[in-house]
C-alpha cells in the first residue's frame, strides 16, 4: 500500500530523512515513534506530498508519489490526514467541515454528502454536535471532527500526526477509541504517537526513528519490552520516566 | 442663521440632487465592486509563489498608495487620450477609483489572509482541494469575514473620494453643490445639502456593516 525505497529528504543541509526503507501492507496499522525532531512528521507528510522528497522512490496505492509530474489530487483524496492541531475550518460547522471535500473534490450531490457527513459524525460519537462551529467544541471533539472529515472521503489510508498531543489528558481516550475502532475495521493506518497503550492494542508494528533514520522496526510488544538498540532503550526510558 | 438658509432654492434643486445622489451611489457601487475584485486578484498575485507576479502586484500597490488620488485621476483623464484611448468621463472616473481602492483592498485582504492559520490551508491541500477551491471556500470567506470593518471603512473612503470626479465634470453630489454655488451664489446651501446626502450613504454602509457582522457569527471563533 505504501512503499518507501531508499527515500531521502533534506531541508538545506539538514538530512531529515536518511535512506528510509519501509513497506506497509493494506490493512496494516503502523505506529511511528522517536524523539522530537527525528523526522516522524516529515516521514508521513511525504506520503501525500505535503513535503516533496529529493531522492528515492515512494509508491502509494500504486502511484509514484516521487514523480514530480504526477497529479496528486486523486491520491490526496484517497488519504485522510489528521493533524496535531486539528486544523478545522473555523467558519464552517462540523457538518460543513466534513462535507466540503466530498462536495468539491468528489463532486458528490448535496443530500448525499450531508447524509454521509451525518453518518460519519455519528460514528465518531458527535451526532449531537453536527451544527456546532469548531470554537464551540472541546479539543477532543474537534479532533474527532477532523477524523470524520478524513473518513468522509472514504479513504484507503489514514495518516495521523500526533493526534492526541495537543489534547488535555481527559480527552485523549475518546480520540484513541475512535482510532482503535478504525484500526479494527481494517483501515490502513500510519500513526505518529507515543501512546503505548494504543500501539500495544492495535498496531501491527512499531517504527522507531532517530535522526532521520529508521532505527528499529518490531511488533509493539517486542519493541516496548525488549528494544534491540541502545537508542531504542534510551528513548523508552525517557518516555517512561514521565 | 436659519432665516438666512434658503430652503426654497434647495427644493428647487432637489431633482438635480436626486439624480446626482443616484449617480454617486451608482459610480461608487461600481467602483467598489471593481476594487474588491482588483484587490482579490492583486492580493493573490502578491502572495503567489511567482516572483514576477508578486513584484508586479507590489509595484502596483505601492505606487497607488504613495501618490494622491487626484494625480491618478488626472493621469487617466489626460494621459489615456494621448495614448489614443478615448473613454467616456464616467468610465475614466470609475477606472481611477477602482484601481485606487483596489490597492488598499489588496492590503486589507492580505492582512486577513495572513491571519489564517496555515494548518487549515494544509488540511485543504491534504484533502485534494485545488488552489481555487481553497481560495473560494476556505481562505476568502474568512479573510473577508475577518476584515469586514476595514473593508467597509475603505468603502466609505471610496464614496468620499468619488467627490473628486466632479473635477472631471462628472455629475455627482459634489458637482451638484458646485452648480448651486456658481448659479445662485449659495455655497452654504449647496454644500450642506451635498454633505447631508453623503451622510445618508455613510449610514447605509454602517447599517450594512452592523448587519453583516451579526450574520458572521463564526467571528467568535477568533
Ligand atoms: N519546513 C522546514 N524547514 C526546515 N527544517 C524543518 C522544516 N520542518 C521540519 N524541519 C526540521 O526537520 C527535522 C525533523 O522535523 P519533524 O519531521 O517535524 O520531526 P518530528 O515530527 O519527529 O518531531 C527537525 O530538525 C525540524 O527542525
Ligand atoms: Mg512532529
Amino acid at each position: 500500500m505504501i512503499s518507501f525505497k531508499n527515500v531521502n529528504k533534506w531541508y538545506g543541509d539538514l538530512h531529515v530523512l536518511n535512506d528510509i526503507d519501509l513497506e506497509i501492507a493494506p490493512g496494516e496499522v503502523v505506529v511511528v515513534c522517536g524523539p522530537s525532531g527525528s523526522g516522524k512528521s516529515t516521514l508521513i507528510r511525504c506520503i501525500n506530498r505535503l513535503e516533496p522528497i529529493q531522492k528515492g522512490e515512494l509508491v502509494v496505492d500504486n502511484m509514484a508519489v516521487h514523480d514530480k509530474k504526477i497529479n496528486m489530487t486523486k491520491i490526496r483524496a484517497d488519504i485522510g490526514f489528521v493533524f496535531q492541531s486539528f486544523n478545522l475550518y473555523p467558519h464552517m460547522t462540523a457538518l460543513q467541515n466534513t462535507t466540503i471535500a466530498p462536495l468539491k473534490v468528489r463532486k458528490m450531490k448535496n443530500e448525499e454528502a450531508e447524509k454521509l457527513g451525518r453518518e460519519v459524525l455519528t460514528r465518531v460519537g458527535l451526532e449531537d454536535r453536527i451544527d456546532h462551529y469548531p470554537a464551540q467544541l472541546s479539543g477532543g471533539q474537534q479532533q474527532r471532527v477532523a477524523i470524520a472529515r478524513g473518513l468522509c472521503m472514504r479513504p484507503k489510508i489514514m495518516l495521523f500526526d500526533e493526534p492526541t498531543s495537543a489534547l488535555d489528558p481527559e480527552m485523549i481516550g475518546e480520540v484513541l477509541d475512535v482510532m482503535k475502532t478504525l484500526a479494527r475495521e481494517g483501515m490502513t493506518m500510519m500513526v505518529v504517537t507515543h501512546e503505548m497503550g494504543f500501539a500495544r492494542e492495535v498496531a501491527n508494528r512499531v517504527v522507531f526513528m532517530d535522526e532521520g533514520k529508521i532505527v528499529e522496526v518490531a511488533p509493539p510488544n517486542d519493541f516496548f519490552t525488549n528494544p534491540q538498540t541502545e537508542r531504542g532503550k534510551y528513548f523508552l526510558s525517557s518516555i517512561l520516566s514521565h | 442663521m436659519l432665516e438666512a438658509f434658503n430652503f426654497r432654492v434647495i427644493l428647487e434643486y432637489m431633482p438635480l440632487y436626486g439624480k446626482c445622489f443616484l449617480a454617486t451611489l451608482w459610480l461608487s457601487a461600481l467602483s467598489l465592486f471593481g476594487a474588491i475584485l482588483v484587490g482579490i486578484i492583486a492580493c493573490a498575485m502578491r502572495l503567489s509563489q511567482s516572483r514576477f507576479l508578486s513584484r508586479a502586484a507590489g509595484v502596483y500597490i505601492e505606487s497607488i498608495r504613495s501618490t494622491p488620488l487626484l494625480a491618478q485621476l488626472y493621469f487617466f483623464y489626460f494621459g489615456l487620450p494621448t495614448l489614443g484611448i478615448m473613454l467616456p468621463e464616467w468610465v475614466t472616473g470609475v477606472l481611477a477609483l477602482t484601481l485606487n481602492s483596489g490597492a488598499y483592498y489588496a492590503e486589507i485582504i492580505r492582512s486577513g489572509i495572513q491571519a489564517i492559520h496555515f494548518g487549515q490551508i494544509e488540511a485543504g491541500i491534504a484533502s485534494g482541494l485545488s488552489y481555487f477551491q481553497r481560495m473560494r471556500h476556505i481562505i476568502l470567506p474568512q479573510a473577508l469575514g475577518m476584515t469586514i470593518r476595514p473593508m467597509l471603512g475603505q468603502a466609505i473612503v471610496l464614496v468620499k473620494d468619488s467627490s473628486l470626479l466632479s473635477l472631471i465634470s462628472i455629475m455627482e453630489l459634489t458637482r451638484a453643490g458646485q452648480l448651486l454655488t456658481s448659479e445662485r451664489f449659495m455655497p452654504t446651501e449647496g454644500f450642506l445639502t451635498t454633505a447631508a446626502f453623503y451622510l445618508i450613504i455613510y449610514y447605509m454602509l454602517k447599517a450594512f456593516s452592523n448587519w453583516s457582522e451579526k450574520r458572521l457569527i463564526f467571528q467568535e471563533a477568533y
Side-chain angles (χ1 to χ4, degrees):
Chain A
M1 200 69 172
I2 307 174
S3 158
F4 290 85
K5 282 208 184 81
N6 197 26
V7 166
N8 282 271
K9 177 174 178 65
W10 290 263
Y11 284 121
D13 289 338
L14 183 69
H15 201 167
V16 256
L17 294 181
N18 190 340
D19 283 340
I20 300 289
D21 283 296
L22 185 66
E23 295 280 337
I24 292 167
E28 204 179 2
V29 177
V30 171
V31 160
V32 181
C33 63
S36 168
S38 57
K40 309 179 294 295
S41 298
T42 309
L43 181 76
I44 67 165
R45 289 163 60 85
C46 288
I47 295 172
N48 63 358
R49 211 198 280 161
L50 283 180
E51 301 289 351
I53 63 169
Q54 276 110 30
K55 193 172 151 233
E57 287 181 15
L58 175 49
V59 179
V60 180
D61 192 25
N62 298 320
M63 302 265 271
V65 171
H66 56 271
D67 183 353
K68 298 277 180 297
K69 291 187 289 284
I70 202 171
N71 178 0
M72 289 299 293
T73 303
K74 198 195 155 294
I75 187 137
R76 281 176 177 154
D78 286 341
I79 303 177
F81 201 110
V82 176
F83 300 86
Q84 178 176 354
S85 49
F86 327 140
N87 297 350
L88 294 178
Y89 312 128
H91 60 304
M92 297 183 189
T93 62
L95 184 66
Q96 290 166 333
N97 264 281
T98 57
T99 54
I100 178 83
L103 285 170
K104 301 301 162 189
V105 181
R106 297 259 192 252
K107 314 284 181 209
M108 212 179 261
K109 293 222 168 46
N110 262 325
E111 312 84 71
E112 199 189 341
E114 190 178 322
K115 186 163 162 278
L116 175 67
R118 287 179 185 280
E119 189 185 299
V120 175
L121 283 168
T122 306
R123 248 171 86 192
V124 299
L126 292 173
E127 57 277 15
D128 55 344
R129 292 287 183 277
I130 280 172
D131 294 317
H132 284 56
Y133 285 90
Q136 300 167 312
L137 300 173
S138 73
Q141 291 169 335
Q142 289 189 52
Q143 193 60 300
R144 285 185 282 153
V145 174
I147 295 174
R149 175 171 67 180
L151 292 178
C152 268
M153 295 294 276
R154 303 202 190 285
K156 298 178 178 165
I157 301 169
M158 285 289 286
L159 305 174
F160 296 82
D161 189 1
E162 306 210 29
T164 57
S165 19
L167 297 176
D168 292 335
E170 71 271 21
M171 293 174 186
I172 292 177
E174 66 193 56
V175 172
L176 289 180
D177 284 344
V178 170
M179 292 168 59
K180 285 176 197 166
T181 311
L182 263 183
R184 294 199 182 100
E185 286 168 2
M187 178 66 75
T188 308
M189 290 166 63
M190 215 165 151
V191 185
V192 177
T193 185
H194 293 162
E195 293 292 334
M196 275 197 250
F198 173 82
R200 278 175 188 267
E201 237 177 281
V202 295
N204 302 99
R205 285 184 292 165
V206 171
V207 169
F208 170 61
M209 288 185 73
D210 195 14
E211 294 180 350
K213 290 196 181 115
I214 292 183
V215 179
E216 209 167 317
V217 182
N221 279 328
D222 297 359
F223 178 72
F224 290 126
T225 49
N226 186 20
Q228 299 298 305
T229 57
E230 282 310 310
R231 284 196 276 183
K233 281 181 190 135
Y234 178 77
F235 170 72
L236 277 182
S237 68
S238 73
I239 61 169
L240 284 175
S241 64
H242 58 256
Chain B
M1 163 76 194
L2 214 53
E3 305 95 84
F5 200 79
N6 196 331
F7 285 103
R8 201 183 46 73
V9 169
I10 294 175
L11 268 182
E12 190 185 316
Y13 272 77
M14 220 13 101
L16 175 72
Y17 271 106
K19 241 172 54 194
C20 289
F21 174 65
L22 290 181
T24 290
L25 273 185
W26 180 76
L27 290 165
S28 305
L30 204 61
S31 308
L32 181 64
F33 180 77
I36 292 177
L37 208 65
V38 167
I40 290 173
I41 294 167
C43 172
M45 286 169 62
R46 189 86 184 88
L47 296 176
S48 90
Q49 303 277 324
S50 151
R51 270 265 179 79
F52 173 75
L53 288 180
S54 176
R55 284 271 169 77
V59 167
Y60 158 66
I61 292 167
E62 297 261 290
S63 40
I64 292 286
R65 281 162 50 104
S66 60
T67 54
L69 171 59
L70 186 57
Q72 295 161 18
L73 184 63
Y74 282 156
F75 174 79
F76 287 114
Y77 187 63
F78 296 111
L80 290 182
T82 66
L83 297 174
I85 304 171
M86 295 298 186
L87 298 171
E89 274 107 9
W90 71 268
V91 177
T92 308
V94 167
L95 189 68
L97 284 180
T98 295
L99 290 178
N100 178 270
S101 275
Y104 291 92
Y105 275 117
E107 290 293 277
I108 293 172
I109 297 168
R110 184 159 75 122
S111 73
I113 289 179
Q114 288 179 334
I116 297 174
H117 182 15
F118 185 69
Q120 291 172 40
I121 299 166
E122 281 201 323
I125 297 174
S127 61
L129 293 170
S130 69
Y131 174 81
F132 285 103
Q133 289 171 331
R134 297 195 302 271
M135 264 294 177
R136 161 75 185 78
H137 299 287
I138 301 170
I139 301 173
L140 284 181
Q142 292 189 70
L144 299 182
M146 280 188 282
T147 54
I148 198 88
R149 249 180 256 259
M151 300 263 287
L152 272 141
Q154 181 60 32
I156 289 163
V157 169
L158 191 157
V159 172
K160 291 191 286 188
D161 281 350
S162 73
S163 68
L164 288 181
L165 300 191
S166 63
L167 296 172
I168 59 170
S169 59
I170 292 175
M171 286 305 289
E172 45 69 68
L173 276 176
T174 304
R175 186 86 183 125
Q178 284 169 358
L179 278 180
L180 207 164
T181 303
S182 60
E183 290 174 12
R184 303 293 174 92
F185 308 105
M186 288 180 181
T188 317
E189 282 81 353
F191 288 114
L192 269 181
T193 312
T194 292
F197 276 107
Y198 279 120
L199 205 64
I200 293 175
I201 302 181
Y202 169 76
Y203 277 113
M204 285 177 3
L205 284 172
K206 209 161 164 231
F208 175 76
S209 167
N210 292 340
W211 171 80
S212 58
E213 275 194 0
K214 274 196 211 100
R215 277 206 40 186
L216 298 168
I217 49 160
F218 71 83
Q219 284 208 323
E220 286 161 22
Y222 298 94

